[in-house]
Amino acid sequence: PRRRKATGNTPQLEHTRRKRLFPNHISLEELYMGMDGSSNMLGKGNHNDCCDGCPLMRQLPRDILAEKIAPFLPAKSLQAFRCTSVYFHQTLEAVVPGLNLRLYRHQITSLDWMRQRETKAITEAECFGNNNNYHGVPDRDLHRSVTAGQSTLLRTRSGNWQCRVSQITGIEMVDNQTDPVANRTVARGGLLADEPGLGKTITVLSLVLQTMGLTTKETDQNSQSRSGSPSEEDIFRAYWKESVPKDFRREDLLSLTNRLSRKNKSQVYVPFSSVRIGIKDDSYVAQFDHYERDMRDEINASFPEDSVEQREIRDALQQQFNEMIQSYKSKQIHSASRSYAKVTSHPNSAVASLYEAHERRKFLDSLISSHGTLLVVPSVLLDHWRDQIKAHVNFAYMTKKEPLIFEFTASKGADASLQTAIDHVVRDKTHWPCVFLDRAPSKPLPPAKFLASFQIVITSNSRFMYEWKNGSFQDELRRMSEESPGEDNVEFAYFNSLDRSDSACPLLKIHWLRLVVDEGHSMGRTQQNSSVQFASWISAERRWCMTGTPTKLNGASAINEVLSLMRFLQHDFFTSRCEGDTHWKKYVVKLWKEGNLSGFHRLRSLLRVLMKRHTKLDIVELPAPLFGCKSVPMTPAEVETYNCIVTAVHSNLVLTSLKEDAKQDSLLHVSNRRFAGEALANMRRVCVGFSRVIPTLSDKNWQETLELAKEYKLSEDATTAVKEFVYRAENGKQSDCQCCGLSLSVLLITPCCASLICTDCVNHDVRKEHGTEVLDCMFCSKLFLVDRFQRFQPGFKFDWLDNLKNDAMAKGGAVSPSPRAPPPTNSPTLGPVPPQAVVGPLIRPPQERQRTNKPGDGHECIYDQYSVDGKCTLCFVEHDGCNLLHTGRCRICHRGTVDCPEEESKSSYLVTRLLQLAKRQQSASARPLKVIVFSQYRKALNLVGDRLLGRFGNGCVSEYWGKYRTQELRKFRHSNECFCMLLGNDGSEGLDLSFVTHIFFLEEIWDRARADQAVARAWRMGATGRVEVETIVAQNTVEETMQEYEAQQHRTDKSAAEISSSKEYQVAKTHALLKSLQYITEFQSFRKTSSRASPLNEPPFRLADINENWKRSIPNMNDDYKERTNKKRRVAFCN
């Protein structure tokens, strides 16, 4: 700007110098100088005043400061910069050095909370009083929160007076910092429980990057904490007060006094009169150090410094007294170590607490210090963590050396690559150890010192389970100390060789900075679990659990899982010390089981301190998915199988309901909950449509059925009808109910006239005749005993037939005939099947081919245009990469498309739906089509996958399971042709598939948490659009009933008092579903009369030539099923 300056009568323009917003150049030293004086303004609320000491930095825009300057600072310098003022703390809270992403608001909140939780280990003494520094704590009462309501803070309205009262004893609690028992610590870590897909992985990586450079080595602050750790002198004093009886104390003091008075080395008698009087008066019973002080004063008073000889006698007595005291204390400490070796046996003992802390300090001194973070993840998520680190972390911000990301595998040459990596890090020092990825859980790990040099070490739960058998490092130290009892400090070869004996795992010999467990709900299991126990052996300053899976609501078991998580986090307030376990059982578990809201509030106050959780509904940037449901009508073949299983379940429920003494055999009985669950699983298995069911009858049951027919004096025609029914059932054919005409594979047989009836037509009007239950037959009007009706049922068992192995059965073809009777005389004779014409590739007469090359030898595969199997004519390897989506024939291997059989309803619908989506994606400029097909049943995925591969080719479909899951995931993620991936239970957690556009569930998922996990693979941070979720359910089946129950459960607000146990609710839900089963009758024609008739549309045949001595093996669906009595066997359901 210019301004006018008057000189005489002529105004002149004067150029003024404007202050530059950005300097021409600025060095790092000048940057730190600009922060001088800002530390004096800490604690003031005015942000403008906070930055008066650094006007240069204050003038920089926030984005320049946060994106152009702060990310280039080391982690420690950035933390120091952030702590200079409130303004810089708020501006730089989201700055993560080396992270190539911009954090969302919920991730910034979680990161700030995690940094606060890791600041220091909070003791119980620091939890007393008003805790204004800990935000988010209810009523600013930290002690009440971390103890789940063990105490209550009472204070006046003015706040001038307050006191803390224990809810266990009812007396006032005093802040006693010197009490080693009461001085418990809060977990230095917590639970990061954001919903799946909200970026917990990035949040944890941000925490690691922001704290890069911290270590577990002794710093000034740690040295102060070490000086406060208990010494052997503290252990002796506590043992003297607590465990040595008063009479023994007096005797020991007199013995020490007499020894020094009469048997000293100087042969000089010293009476110690004042000390003896104090012993008799019990002046030294409570304070042993007072006895030492008075004894030394008595020695000094008895030998004044008048001559050299007296000084020598005094010094000799002082030395002898010190030796006696040291020997006495050593014996007492040794007794204390044997009596209080386990703190669990003496939970409220000060000696046990001090001894445990002392041994813990000695054990930590024997470990290797580290600045690394140990990540424990499921095996399927190793690639996920590696990809996230490589994609979003730039280690060039932290080092000038070459970053080393080492993958530890069991392949050939792995030892050579390991030795090369050690040379790069230790000898040459050309590489900076960043990430160590453990891919060989059964292979011995490298030396502990090499592992401790990495910033991040990623291992799996499989490693924990494998190394658990080698024991803990404490056990190894104990064994070595027993072998060399004279040595206090045993040196360990941490870096001598790559070989390792059966010693403790190297992971246990490192003092880690941080331990993070992905899918951390696994740590909520009992201590008997090997991986949980191994995790408790690991030494780490901070402990974290990452999990997006909520704990299942199953009453006290869920609360115990929370308790196990608290133990893993080393939260000391619910152990046996100070009756913490009693408080948990009485005031949390018991109240929760009773439905008392106070139990809920106590647990919530605890989790509000140790847990952080965000839901997707709180994230505005994340679009919600579109949910839909499609009811697909079942085909006649699937209906036949479904009705067969319904008959089996109904038979059990009906037959056991006719007599009171048969209730224990019902699927609804509490003792048969496992069989009820298996029956429901079989129903859902049929709804998916990947198998058929054929009734079979064992030789024993067949002979018993014939003997019962003779015993009940059935006519020859009635016996023949029973034989015809069994023959038809075993050959996959149906018989008609002689009451309603419903065609089923299995029916009930009346013991009076051998009539066939379905379960819906059974007469339930049971009455007693001469003390026994009887029923009226609706066909012959005779009375028959209910007991005979139950025993006369043949007792079928059921064989599952896979559609892939029995395509003829899936298409309604014939099965192998039953050997109980010859086929009907007028049935067509089976002859050779003429070859079918194949549409697509040309067919050449079959000829034998020989392999001339081996797979992978470098040859170029050649495919025959006349072949339909898509295999190379040289190596016989099937072509991988066929794309049949838009063409009916592969251009490379000449393979043609195979249409999905119409008898498979869900597979046919899915293929049609995918074709529609592919066609719509071509016409519209939308996101690339990426589809997930999810099912809980592997066989269902195998069937649907086979149909999809036949129609679209293996270049368009990937299967995420087995040892090739990594290659299949890479193909689905990066290939433009691959648009569909089959996903099972092993892929429902941890995968980042934010690019997916559609998800199809092949069945209604029983566990809603599992369904949410599957949807979260695509509904997560990074998604550029909505994901469409569609559930395919079988029409008029139990799947629709399950949907109705789920909808009703969501509409009804149930509290903990209404559902005392989730197991009980699940059992009641299973029973309700079994009782609601109904036949599917869409393809049936019913009779109007109940007269007996022969089977429809089947020619009659004779059973005169039956071979009674045939033998064959019939596979059982449930091999562990135990045979019951004849009566119970007829009634019980065998799945």
Side-chain angles (χ1 to χ4, degrees):
R2 297 180 298 178
R3 64 176 181 176
R4 295 182 181 272
K5 181 179 181 182
T7 58
N9 298 326
T10 304
Q12 297 181 0
L13 295 178
E14 180 184 4
H15 292 271
T16 60
R17 192 176 194 83
R18 182 176 181 179
K19 189 175 181 181
R20 297 179 60 88
L21 179 62
F22 298 101
N24 293 329
H25 60 85
I26 182 173
S27 62
L28 187 61
E29 290 76 10
E30 293 175 344
L31 177 64
Y32 281 112
M33 290 178 61
M35 293 186 292
D36 290 343
S38 60
S39 59
N40 298 330
M41 311 304 297
L42 288 176
K44 296 185 179 181
N46 191 347
H47 293 176
N48 296 326
D49 296 340
C50 291
C51 302
D52 288 343
C54 47
L56 178 63
M57 299 302 300
R58 182 67 178 88
Q59 293 179 8
L60 290 178
R62 286 176 177 262
D63 56 344
I64 298 297
L65 185 63
E67 298 180 7
K68 303 300 181 181
I69 297 179
F72 292 91
L73 297 177
K76 284 188 176 181
S77 302
L78 179 62
Q79 176 64 14
F81 191 10
R82 188 185 290 113
C83 294
T84 55
S85 68
V86 177
Y87 171 76
F88 289 137
H89 178 79
Q90 295 178 351
T91 304
L92 305 178
E93 62 178 353
V95 177
V96 181
L99 187 67
N100 299 332
L101 289 175
R102 180 174 294 181
L103 299 180
Y104 289 90
R105 174 48 53 185
H106 74 279
Q107 292 175 316
I108 297 174
T109 304
S110 299
L111 180 60
D112 183 67
W113 172 77
M114 296 176 76
R115 290 294 304 274
Q116 182 184 1
R117 294 290 314 122
E118 284 192 349
T119 302
K120 67 173 184 176
I122 304 174
T123 61
E124 186 174 7
E126 298 173 348
C127 298
F128 282 84
N130 281 334
N131 305 105
N132 296 320
N133 297 329
Y134 302 98
H135 301 285
V137 178
D139 299 329
R140 296 293 190 268
D141 191 352
L142 184 60
H143 189 274
R144 177 178 175 83
S145 298
V146 299
T147 59
Q150 291 186 16
S151 65
T152 301
L153 184 63
L154 304 178
R155 53 194 169 191
T156 59
R157 293 180 180 272
S158 60
N160 297 329
W161 175 88
Q162 65 180 16
C163 71
R164 186 173 298 276
V165 179
S166 172
Q167 293 198 0
I168 299 177
T169 61
I171 60 177
E172 182 180 0
M173 298 180 64
V174 182
D175 180 9
N176 188 5
Q177 301 184 10
T178 61
D179 188 2
V181 181
N183 198 18
R184 299 170 289 184
T185 58
V186 184
R188 196 174 180 180
L191 306 173
L192 182 59
D194 290 350
E195 278 193 351
L198 293 186
K200 294 187 294 295
T201 302
I202 299 300
T203 304
V204 172
L205 290 179
S206 302
L207 177 66
V208 175
L209 295 176
Q210 277 197 349
T211 57
M212 191 76 67
L214 295 181
T215 180
T216 55
K217 291 182 179 179
E218 293 286 338
T219 59
D220 295 338
Q221 181 179 359
N222 292 336
S223 299
Q224 295 176 3
S225 62
R226 182 176 179 178
S227 62
S229 61
S231 61
E232 292 185 351
E233 184 68 24
D234 298 329
I235 297 175
F236 167 75
R237 293 173 183 172
Y239 184 74
W240 172 265
K241 295 179 182 179
E242 180 179 321
S243 301
V244 181
K246 184 181 295 186
D247 295 339
F248 288 180
R249 295 183 219 172
R250 189 183 302 109
E251 293 178 2
D252 291 346
L253 293 177
L254 287 174
S255 176
L256 291 173
T257 304
N258 293 333
R259 287 171 55 191
L260 188 63
S261 175
R262 300 173 182 176
K263 299 181 180 180
N264 54 71
K265 297 179 181 179
S266 302
Q267 301 297 326
V268 178
Y269 176 76
V270 182
F272 298 112
S273 303
S274 60
V275 175
R276 295 178 185 275
I277 295 174
I279 295 175
K280 293 181 180 180
D281 297 339
D282 293 337
S283 301
Y284 309 121
V285 172
Q287 301 291 338
F288 187 84
D289 53 349
H290 291 177
Y291 168 76
E292 297 181 58
R293 180 197 60 193
D294 292 347
M295 286 290 291
R296 291 189 177 93
D297 293 344
E298 189 78 15
I299 294 174
N300 294 332
S302 301
F303 301 94
E305 299 181 0
D306 295 340
S307 63
V308 177
E309 181 180 1
Q310 289 185 350
R311 285 198 301 268
E312 292 178 353
I313 295 175
R314 183 196 62 190
D315 294 342
L317 287 176
Q318 291 283 9
Q319 182 179 0
Q320 184 178 358
F321 177 71
N322 292 336
E323 293 175 356
M324 292 172 53
I325 294 298
Q326 188 64 30
S327 176
Y328 177 76
K329 289 182 178 180
S330 299
K331 292 181 180 180
Q332 298 297 326
I333 293 174
H334 180 66
S335 301
S337 64
R338 292 188 303 174
S339 303
Y340 297 91
K342 292 184 178 181
V343 70
T344 54
S345 57
H346 305 277
N348 296 322
S349 171
V351 181
S353 300
L354 291 173
Y355 183 78
E356 181 190 27
H358 178 70
E359 292 298 317
R360 180 65 180 173
R361 182 71 261 171
K362 289 175 57 179
F363 174 71
L364 292 179
D365 291 341
S366 65
L367 299 178
I368 301 177
S369 299
S370 170
H371 44 249
T373 297
L374 178 61
L375 287 172
V376 185
V377 304
S379 300
V380 297
L381 299 183
L382 289 173
D383 295 319
H384 166 73
W385 277 90
R386 180 204 58 188
D387 296 340
Q388 292 291 317
I389 292 175
K390 287 185 176 181
H392 305 306
V393 178
N394 186 1
F395 289 102
Y397 281 81
M398 305 157 204
T399 179
K400 296 180 180 180
K401 299 181 181 179
E402 184 71 20
L404 175 62
I405 300 179
F406 183 77
E407 297 193 19
F408 183 69
T409 62
S411 59
K412 295 182 180 179
D415 293 339
S417 62
L418 175 60
Q419 187 61 52
T420 303
I422 293 178
D423 293 340
H424 288 331
V425 174
V426 180
R427 187 188 63 187
D428 304 334
K429 297 183 179 179
T430 58
H431 289 66
W432 188 60
C434 299
V435 180
F436 180 90
L437 191 63
D438 180 17
R439 291 186 176 275
S442 59
K443 183 179 178 180
L445 282 170
K449 194 171 183 179
F450 178 68
L451 293 175
S453 63
F454 283 86
Q455 301 296 325
I456 301 175
V457 176
I458 306 177
T459 186
S460 62
N461 295 324
S462 303
R463 168 68 66 180
F464 280 21
M465 291 185 288
Y466 175 78
E467 296 286 355
W468 170 79
K469 65 179 183 295
N470 295 327
S472 64
F473 189 39
Q474 290 93 328
D475 296 337
E476 184 178 348
L477 287 173
R478 193 178 301 110
R479 289 195 303 266
M480 298 187 70
S481 62
E482 292 175 357
E483 294 175 1
S484 54
E487 300 180 9
D488 296 334
N489 298 323
V490 182
E491 296 293 336
F492 296 92
Y494 291 107
F495 216 144
N496 289 347
S497 174
L498 297 181
D499 300 330
R500 188 204 67 173
S501 60
D502 293 335
S503 61
C505 177
L507 298 175
L508 303 177
K509 302 178 181 179
I510 303 173
H511 189 195
W512 299 96
L513 177 68
R514 186 182 294 109
L515 171 63
V516 182
V517 180
D518 197 359
E519 303 299 336
H521 55 272
S522 60
M523 294 295 107
R525 302 169 184 167
T526 59
Q527 288 291 331
Q528 285 74 19
N529 185 275
S530 57
S531 61
V532 175
Q533 188 174 6
F534 187 88
S536 65
W537 294 342
I538 293 180
S539 301
E541 275 190 359
R542 308 118 191 259
R543 289 172 172 258
W544 291 98
C545 280
M546 299 170 51
T547 177
T549 305
T551 303
K552 296 182 180 179
L553 292 176
N554 51 3
S557 300
I559 309 301
N560 292 330
E561 288 184 9
V562 177
L563 178 60
S564 299
L565 289 175
M566 295 297 106
R567 290 174 178 172
F568 166 76
L569 297 176
Q570 295 182 351
H571 191 66
D572 296 340
F573 290 88
F574 304 111
T575 60
S576 54
R577 294 169 57 183
C578 298
E579 300 181 357
D581 54 347
T582 303
H583 171 81
W584 179 268
K585 295 177 182 178
K586 184 176 181 181
Y587 294 98
V588 179
V589 178
K590 183 179 179 181
L591 295 179
W592 183 278
K593 292 173 64 177
E594 295 175 353
N596 195 323
L597 285 179
S598 61
F600 164 76
H601 288 294
R602 291 172 187 270
L603 185 61
R604 187 181 66 169
S605 64
L606 171 66
L607 295 180
R608 286 183 64 178
V609 176
L610 299 179
M611 187 181 77
K612 196 71 173 181
R613 179 171 175 81
H614 296 93
T615 61
K616 293 178 179 177
L617 299 179
D618 303 331
I619 312 302
V620 182
E621 302 89 348
L622 192 60
L626 299 176
F627 292 91
C629 180
K630 176 63 177 179
S631 295
V632 179
M634 300 180 74
T635 61
E638 293 173 338
V639 169
E640 178 182 344
T641 303
Y642 182 83
N643 287 341
C644 183
I645 301 298
V646 172
T647 302
V649 177
H650 279 186
S651 299
N652 174 271
L653 301 182
V654 169
L655 294 177
T656 55
S657 64
L658 298 178
K659 290 190 66 176
E660 290 295 333
D661 57 355
K663 297 292 185 182
Q664 68 274 9
D665 295 324
S666 174
L667 290 175
L668 305 181
H669 196 267
V670 63
S671 61
N672 296 325
R673 62 174 61 185
R674 181 171 68 89
F675 297 104
E678 292 175 355
L680 184 60
N682 290 334
M683 298 300 307
R684 301 181 60 205
R685 178 178 177 180
V686 173
C687 293
V688 179
F690 62 89
S691 56
R692 295 283 305 279
V693 172
I694 297 298
T696 59
L697 195 63
S698 63
D699 295 346
K700 180 180 179 181
N701 292 352
W702 172 246
Q703 293 297 333
E704 290 180 358
T705 301
L706 296 179
E707 292 175 0
L708 290 175
K710 295 180 180 179
E711 180 182 347
Y712 299 158
K713 298 179 181 180
L714 294 181
S715 63
E716 184 177 354
D717 294 338
T719 305
T720 303
V722 174
K723 295 178 181 179
E724 291 179 4
F725 163 67
V726 173
Y727 175 82
R728 294 172 63 84
E730 288 193 315
N731 284 272
K733 298 180 180 180
Q734 295 184 337
S735 301
D736 293 342
C737 173
Q738 296 175 359
C739 180
C740 64
L742 180 64
S743 296
L744 297 171
S745 299
V746 178
L747 295 168
L748 299 179
I749 310 174
T750 58
C752 54
C753 57
S755 299
L756 302 178
I757 57 174
C758 64
T759 55
D760 290 344
C761 297
V762 174
N763 183 16
H764 293 270
D765 296 333
V766 181
R767 66 176 188 270
K768 286 193 175 183
E769 294 285 344
H770 305 290
T772 58
E773 294 86 351
V774 295
L775 283 173
D776 292 324
C777 179
M778 63 182 64
F779 301 100
C780 62
S781 301
K782 295 182 179 179
L783 295 178
F784 58 86
L785 299 178
V786 173
D787 184 60
R788 288 190 174 185
F789 186 42
Q790 295 174 344
R791 294 180 59 194
F792 194 54
Q793 306 314 313
F796 286 107
K797 296 180 183 179
F798 301 91
D799 291 340
W800 292 99
L801 299 179
D802 247 351
N803 286 4
L804 294 179
K805 298 181 180 179
N806 302 273
D807 284 338
M809 190 58 168
K811 296 179 181 179
V815 292
S816 57
S818 172
R820 305 199 188 281
T825 55
N826 56 352
S827 62
T829 304
L830 298 178
V833 179
Q836 299 179 356
V838 180
V839 179
L842 301 177
I843 301 301
R844 183 177 58 186
Q847 58 183 6
E848 184 178 358
R849 297 185 300 174
Q850 296 182 355
R851 190 177 70 176
T852 59
N853 294 71
K854 294 182 179 180
D857 59 358
H859 73 281
E860 184 178 355
C861 292
I862 300 176
Y863 302 95
D864 190 357
Q865 63 176 344
Y866 295 98
S867 176
V868 296
D869 56 1
K871 294 183 179 180
C872 173
T873 58
L874 302 179
C875 61
F876 291 179
V877 174
E878 187 176 356
H879 175 237
D880 185 14
C882 297
N883 187 354
L884 309 177
L885 178 59
H886 304 296
T887 59
R889 187 176 182 182
C890 181
R891 300 176 181 177
I892 300 177
C893 67
H894 314 291
R895 176 188 295 176
T897 59
V898 180
D899 294 331
C900 178
E902 296 181 356
E903 287 79 7
E904 299 174 3
S905 57
K906 290 189 176 182
S907 299
S908 301
Y909 170 78
L910 184 61
V911 170
T912 304
R913 185 81 172 97
L914 292 181
L915 288 173
Q916 295 175 355
L917 293 176
K919 184 177 180 180
R920 187 178 65 180
Q921 194 269 340
Q922 272 188 334
S923 59
S925 57
R927 291 188 300 166
L929 179 63
K930 293 292 182 177
V931 179
I932 290 178
V933 179
F934 183 86
S935 177
Q936 299 180 103
Y937 303 100
R938 176 63 58 82
K939 291 185 178 181
L941 291 175
N942 290 338
L943 174 66
V944 174
D946 182 78
R947 306 313 182 196
L948 295 178
L949 290 172
R951 177 57 187 86
F952 302 109
N954 48 20
C956 299
V957 181
S958 64
E959 300 172 312
Y960 186 79
W961 57 74
K963 60 181 180 179
Y964 299 108
R965 68 177 70 189
T966 304
Q967 294 87 328
E968 294 292 311
L969 179 61
R970 188 180 298 112
K971 180 177 72 172
F972 179 64
R973 187 187 300 272
H974 300 292
S975 176
N976 296 328
E977 296 181 349
C978 182
F979 68 92
C980 180
M981 185 173 73
L982 305 176
L983 198 65
N985 289 331
D986 51 354
S988 61
E989 297 178 353
L991 292 181
D992 184 3
L993 304 175
S994 56
F995 55 89
V996 169
T997 59
H998 295 77
I999 298 178
F1000 289 93
F1001 288 106
L1002 292 181
E1003 71 276 349
E1004 178 69 21
I1005 306 300
W1006 178 271
D1007 186 4
R1008 298 310 307 172
R1010 180 62 57 86
D1012 295 339
Q1013 284 277 6
V1015 173
R1017 299 311 101 217
W1019 185 28
R1020 59 193 305 113
M1021 307 304 297
T1024 57
R1026 293 180 181 269
V1027 58
E1028 298 182 13
V1029 182
E1030 184 174 339
T1031 304
I1032 308 175
V1033 299
Q1035 193 175 16
N1036 299 328
T1037 61
V1038 67
E1039 289 187 337
E1040 288 191 343
T1041 309
M1042 290 176 59
Q1043 278 194 332
E1044 296 176 0
Y1045 282 7
E1046 290 294 335
Q1048 182 180 2
Q1049 181 181 359
H1050 285 293
R1051 290 192 301 266
T1052 306
D1053 185 16
K1054 295 182 179 295
S1055 62
E1058 295 173 326
I1059 304 178
S1060 59
S1061 173
S1062 179
K1063 286 185 177 180
E1064 297 177 0
Y1065 174 75
Q1066 295 297 336
V1067 171
K1069 182 178 178 180
T1070 302
H1071 292 173
L1073 290 174
L1074 292 179
K1075 290 189 292 185
S1076 65
L1077 292 177
Q1078 296 180 356
Y1079 291 115
I1080 300 179
T1081 59
E1082 293 182 358
F1083 305 98
Q1084 299 283 346
S1085 58
F1086 301 98
R1087 288 194 176 92
K1088 297 181 180 180
T1089 62
S1090 59
S1091 60
R1092 180 173 178 174
S1094 60
L1096 295 176
N1097 302 326
E1098 291 292 336
F1101 58 92
R1102 300 179 61 185
L1103 300 177
D1105 303 327
I1106 297 180
N1107 184 8
E1108 299 290 346
N1109 298 323
W1110 57 270
K1111 299 289 183 182
R1112 62 175 177 143
S1113 176
I1114 301 176
N1116 190 357
M1117 290 174 51
N1118 202 1
D1119 295 330
D1120 60 349
Y1121 176 76
K1122 296 182 179 180
E1123 290 289 340
R1124 304 187 182 186
T1125 59
N1126 289 341
K1127 175 180 177 181
K1128 293 183 178 181
R1129 178 184 53 77
R1130 310 295 183 185
V1131 175
F1133 169 74
C1134 302
N1135 65 320

